[in-house]
Amino acid sequence: MKIVLIGSGNVATQMGLSIRALGENIVQVYSQNIKNAIQLAGQVDAVPVTDYKKISREADLYIISIKDDAIAHAAEALKGVDGLVVHTAGTVDLTVLSAQVKNAGVFYPLQTFSKTRPVNFKTVPLCIEATDKTQLEVLKKMAQRLSQQVYELNGEKRKALHLAAVFACNFTNHLYALSNQILEKNHIDFEIIRPLIIETAEKIAHNLPENVQTGPAVRGDEETINTHLTALKRMPELYNIYQTLSNSIKKTYK
Amino acid sequence: MKIVLIGSGNVATQMGLSIRALGENIVQVYSQNIKNAIQLAGQVDAVPVTDYKKISREADLYIISIKDDAIAHAAEALKGVDGLVVHTAGTVDLTVLSAQVKNAGVFYPLQTFSKTRPVNFKTVPLCIEATDKTQLEVLKKMAQRLSQQVYELNGEKRKALHLAAVFACNFTNHLYALSNQILEKNHIDFEIIRPLIIETAEKIAHNLPENVQTGPAVRGDEETINTHLTALKRMPELYNIYQTLSNSIKKTYK
């Protein structure tokens, strides 16, 4: 199978490395940034390309892993190819591809990626979708070689999942950052709170989060809540978030 | 060392089990609820007690691990004892104890506890404070036998830490729960999002959260934000939280 990787960001990098590790043949890596193209191409033994016109028309699989709003343009550049063209985005419709190419699909890994932190794809849920059953089977085979968790999800469900992921990952990380703002203001090292963060995440490995909620808001401990709000008077941003989330917890468990 | 455990909740249970596992002698477990007193006492080879008057006056260490607003009353009941009296609360002043007893301290474990999920105390940061150096040394010795992470923290810092923990743990778990609300509404199993939650927490083991923030808000991806807000129109609670946290992320990284 000849594969073309379009993109060189966090997802493209981790996915490219994992696919290459399976022994697959990545023929080209496209990036509009020549440095990035060369760097990732070097890591996956592919040829770097910076011009859509230079992309091979003969590949079996094209993986588009670039910014959401650039996907349509990439699909347009692939118009007429016979290979399967997939994107890796959570919120982009399959039709953005299928409007341009015959065989289209989605290959969405539900994980947070950095270029430098290696990811074990075996544990990354892969959500797949395709224009027809034949293509779906092709995608499924590749997905199952990469990951132990493969889900067939339509676009609507995939979008809901992406939204849920914003709460569970992006917003959660922001809470860690806000927590660190409080610590820094009080000259306490972030190190002290890391075990709590890990345990909070691991606790829901065998529980649903709504069954293990703790803290002043779920206890209805107004005294502690008021002490905390008073302590946050000079951090209006955190005050507002403390109040919003505490009220939401109270409503949820009342 | 003779130890009396006052309380039978999540913290008292996990701390009692860990102290007993060190080979220490827990002589009594107090709880106003006889069932709980008997259950925990049985687990740590102690005598259950439900009346403050029955608590031994001869113990070396009294660990009060009950609701914040009940601590003062427990301290009053221990008036006149020579042993060291500590509480395990994040936001309660040491003076609540020292107003009643000669030797007082704080022994605050920064972790989220459940009765049924065993905790490895070795990795739990223990924050200690005492009325004088001699008592602090006693506490420190015990703390260092229980945990590899012992911190001397005054009341002000301990309270700030507790507040930071509400963001990093309680609010974070609520975000997991909100995430699951979206999943349930779309008939998607929570299982699919667990690897993301774990990775989000593990990612900050060697990074500060502000250096690894991802998602539409930090990218300034207004299109995705608007798509998400539209999807949340019928979930006003989540709509509000999505907007509040996205705005906070934008402000933080602008």
Side-chain angles (χ1 to χ4, degrees):
Chain A
M1 195 140 127
K2 288 185 210 158
I3 300 171
V4 171
L5 200 53
I6 295 167
S8 60
N10 300 346
V11 177
T13 299
Q14 296 300 335
M15 196 176 273
L17 291 172
S18 298
I19 289 174
R20 181 67 191 118
L22 293 176
E24 288 291 341
N25 182 18
I26 301 179
V27 290
Q28 294 176 319
V29 170
Y30 165 90
S31 173
Q32 56 179 11
N33 178 314
I34 178 75
K35 268 193 191 169
N36 293 346
I38 290 173
Q39 190 184 14
L40 182 53
Q43 288 179 282
V44 299
D45 310 314
V47 176
V49 176
T50 57
D51 182 351
Y52 276 135
K53 288 177 197 151
K54 298 267 175 69
I55 289 179
S56 161
R57 314 292 294 175
E58 317 296 325
D60 304 292
L61 179 62
Y62 299 83
I63 301 175
I64 304 176
S65 190
I66 56 182
K67 278 189 185 162
D68 288 6
D69 54 13
I71 292 174
H73 182 60
E76 215 183 310
L78 294 173
K79 204 164 192 155
V81 301
D82 282 329
L84 174 58
V85 178
V86 302
H87 72 65
T88 62
T91 44
V92 176
D93 272 324
L94 176 57
T95 53
V96 170
L97 301 182
S98 61
Q100 305 288 347
V101 300
K102 196 167 51 183
N103 299 312
V106 178
F107 202 74
Y108 170 55
L110 182 68
Q111 192 48 283
T112 172
F113 297 98
S114 322
K115 274 193 188 181
T116 52
R117 184 175 155 85
V119 163
N120 177 6
F121 247 87
K122 286 278 171 219
T123 64
V124 174
L126 284 176
C127 307
I128 59 172
E129 186 185 1
T131 37
D132 63 61
K133 282 199 175 173
T134 316
Q135 303 306 325
L136 191 65
E137 282 309 308
V138 173
L139 264 189
K140 200 174 182 175
K141 267 185 194 157
M142 170 65 88
Q144 285 175 338
R145 287 177 62 209
L146 274 174
S147 168
Q148 286 154 355
Q149 292 188 54
V150 177
Y151 297 85
E152 289 172 35
L153 239 60
N154 64 29
E156 203 189 332
K157 284 196 175 187
R158 175 165 42 85
K159 282 182 207 170
L161 182 59
H162 184 257
L163 175 54
V166 170
F167 281 83
C169 170
N170 307 150
F171 289 166
T172 288
N173 188 74
H174 187 52
L175 289 184
Y176 301 160
L178 296 177
S179 179
N180 194 28
Q181 282 182 24
I182 298 168
L183 295 176
E184 280 185 347
K185 199 167 169 253
N186 290 277
H187 311 288
I188 302 170
D189 198 281
F190 185 67
E191 188 60 28
I192 195 172
I193 213 161
R194 284 193 168 112
L196 176 65
I197 286 174
I198 293 290
E199 172 70 12
T200 303
E202 285 182 352
K203 211 171 174 174
I204 52 98
H206 303 288
N207 290 296
L208 287 178
E210 53 267 37
N211 295 336
V212 294
Q213 183 65 46
T214 55
V218 71
R219 283 200 310 271
D221 179 351
E222 293 296 335
E223 205 178 316
T224 301
I225 292 173
N226 287 332
T227 306
H228 284 165
L229 286 173
T230 305
L232 290 174
K233 276 236 163 106
R234 288 185 189 173
M235 304 177 91
E237 190 70 26
L238 279 81
Y239 185 101
N240 178 31
I241 290 171
Y242 187 101
Q243 204 165 39
T244 302
L245 289 174
S246 290
N247 287 341
S248 173
I249 292 173
K250 283 186 227 170
K251 270 187 222 166
T252 306
Y253 298 94
K254 78 178 172 199
Chain B
M1 195 142 127
K2 287 186 211 158
I3 300 170
V4 171
L5 199 54
I6 296 166
S8 60
N10 301 346
V11 177
T13 299
Q14 296 301 335
M15 195 175 275
L17 292 172
S18 298
I19 289 175
R20 180 69 191 118
L22 293 177
E24 288 290 343
N25 181 17
I26 300 178
V27 291
Q28 294 176 321
V29 169
Y30 165 90
S31 173
Q32 57 179 9
N33 177 314
I34 178 74
K35 268 193 190 169
N36 293 347
I38 289 172
Q39 189 184 13
L40 182 52
Q43 289 178 280
V44 299
D45 311 313
V47 175
V49 175
T50 58
D51 182 350
Y52 275 136
K53 289 178 193 148
K54 297 266 174 72
I55 289 178
S56 161
R57 315 291 292 176
E58 318 295 326
D60 304 292
L61 179 62
Y62 298 84
I63 300 174
I64 304 175
S65 190
I66 55 182
K67 277 189 187 162
D68 288 6
D69 55 11
I71 293 175
H73 183 60
E76 216 184 312
L78 294 173
K79 203 165 192 156
V81 300
D82 282 329
L84 173 58
V85 179
V86 302
H87 72 66
T88 61
T91 43
V92 176
D93 274 322
L94 176 57
T95 53
V96 170
L97 301 181
S98 62
Q100 305 288 347
V101 300
K102 198 165 51 182
N103 300 311
V106 177
F107 202 75
Y108 169 55
L110 182 67
Q111 193 47 283
T112 172
F113 297 98
S114 321
K115 274 193 188 180
T116 51
R117 183 173 156 86
V119 163
N120 177 6
F121 247 87
K122 285 280 170 218
T123 63
V124 175
L126 283 175
C127 308
I128 59 172
E129 187 186 1
T131 36
D132 63 61
K133 282 199 175 174
T134 317
Q135 303 306 325
L136 190 65
E137 283 309 307
V138 173
L139 264 189
K140 200 174 182 174
K141 267 184 197 160
M142 171 65 89
Q144 286 175 337
R145 287 177 63 207
L146 274 174
S147 168
Q148 286 154 354
Q149 292 189 53
V150 177
Y151 296 85
E152 289 172 33
L153 238 61
N154 64 30
E156 204 188 330
K157 285 197 174 187
R158 174 166 42 85
K159 281 181 208 170
L161 181 59
H162 184 257
L163 174 54
V166 170
F167 281 83
C169 169
N170 306 148
F171 289 166
T172 288
N173 187 74
H174 187 52
L175 288 183
Y176 301 160
L178 296 178
S179 179
N180 193 28
Q181 281 182 24
I182 298 168
L183 295 177
E184 280 185 346
K185 200 168 168 254
N186 290 278
H187 311 288
I188 302 170
D189 198 282
F190 185 67
E191 188 58 30
I192 195 172
I193 212 160
R194 283 193 168 112
L196 177 65
I197 286 174
I198 292 291
E199 173 69 11
T200 303
E202 285 183 352
K203 211 171 176 176
I204 53 99
H206 303 286
N207 290 296
L208 287 179
E210 51 268 37
N211 296 335
V212 294
Q213 183 65 46
T214 55
V218 70
R219 283 198 311 269
D221 179 350
E222 293 296 336
E223 204 178 315
T224 301
I225 291 173
N226 288 332
T227 307
H228 284 164
L229 286 173
T230 305
L232 289 173
K233 275 234 164 103
R234 285 185 191 173
M235 303 177 92
E237 189 71 26
L238 279 82
Y239 185 100
N240 178 32
I241 291 170
Y242 187 101
Q243 203 165 41
T244 302
L245 289 174
S246 290
N247 287 341
S248 173
I249 292 172
K250 285 187 225 168
K251 272 188 222 168
T252 306
Y253 299 93
K254 77 177 170 201

